[in-house]
Amino acid sequence: MKKKFLMVFIVIVVVMTFFTPSYAKNTVEFPEEDSTELQYQDMIMLFLGSHIDQAISDHYSFYLKKDPIVYPYQIEVKKVKRINEFREFHFVIILEVTPVVGPHITVGKDKLIFEVSPTIPGKVKLLKFEHLETHELPPVWMHLLKKKPSL
């Protein structure tokens, strides 16, 4: 009797494992090896991390009860542009970020445009925040919603 119960239990667990829908998305492509460009991008993320977190928190606080997190590997540097002339220390940096809640459940995709210059107080200024995509939360995480974001 115990063996039959154990077999039935194992079959149920296996069936549930393969047929339960997953809401995890592989939205990040990881580089195969390190490069100078990747090192520079990672340094930019360290410098801009708190500014990115603040922009994300400000936007999603209207929609979510909990602030999403943006991991450095979920930030893509789209463009870095030097303003004015060669060797001027004034830049515009365009990023795409994918904030997550809980166990890496994506809530959207956003574009952030920062201006970085020694003449700016704090040296960083958010020029533009653009919400690009809204990702549906799985039913178990719907309790985090205040209201549904719109594009």
Side-chain angles (χ1 to χ4, degrees):
M1 183 70 176
K2 287 184 180 181
K3 287 184 180 181
K4 283 184 179 180
F5 175 74
L6 183 60
M7 290 300 287
V8 169
F9 179 75
I10 290 172
V11 168
I12 290 173
V13 169
V14 169
V15 168
M16 287 178 63
T17 302
F18 288 109
F19 295 109
T20 303
S22 172
Y23 293 95
K25 294 180 187 178
N26 185 10
T27 57
V28 179
E29 292 183 26
F30 294 101
E32 297 291 322
E33 58 187 47
D34 204 6
S35 67
T36 303
E37 181 182 0
L38 187 59
Q39 290 173 358
Y40 290 150
Q41 286 185 16
D42 290 348
M43 284 188 274
I44 290 171
M45 294 314 99
L46 287 174
F47 179 65
L48 293 177
S50 62
H51 302 283
I52 293 167
D53 291 341
Q54 186 62 54
I56 292 298
S57 176
D58 289 348
H59 175 76
Y60 285 94
S61 65
F62 296 104
Y63 309 106
L64 298 173
K65 296 175 185 172
K66 182 179 178 185
D67 286 342
I69 298 169
V70 178
Y71 292 102
Y73 54 83
Q74 291 177 305
I75 301 170
E76 185 179 349
V77 178
K78 290 303 218 179
K79 187 175 184 181
V80 176
K81 181 179 166 188
R82 188 185 298 270
I83 306 300
N84 298 329
E85 300 173 20
F86 177 68
R87 296 297 293 175
E88 288 281 329
F89 296 96
H90 189 180
F91 298 91
V92 170
I93 302 170
I94 302 172
L95 308 171
E96 276 189 12
V97 302
T98 306
V100 300
V101 292
H104 296 262
I105 299 167
T106 62
V107 294
K109 184 178 247 184
D110 305 294
K111 180 179 184 180
L112 289 81
I113 301 175
F114 286 103
E115 181 179 10
V116 179
S117 172
T119 60
I120 298 172
K123 298 187 181 19
V124 178
K125 178 182 176 185
L126 178 65
L127 295 178
K128 184 177 180 185
F129 181 100
E130 185 179 345
H131 184 68
L132 303 174
E133 297 174 8
T134 299
H135 299 166
E136 190 76 26
L137 288 175
V140 207
W141 288 89
M142 293 298 239
H143 67 279
L144 291 181
L145 282 180
K146 288 183 181 177
K147 65 178 183 175
K148 190 170 179 140
S150 57
L151 290 177

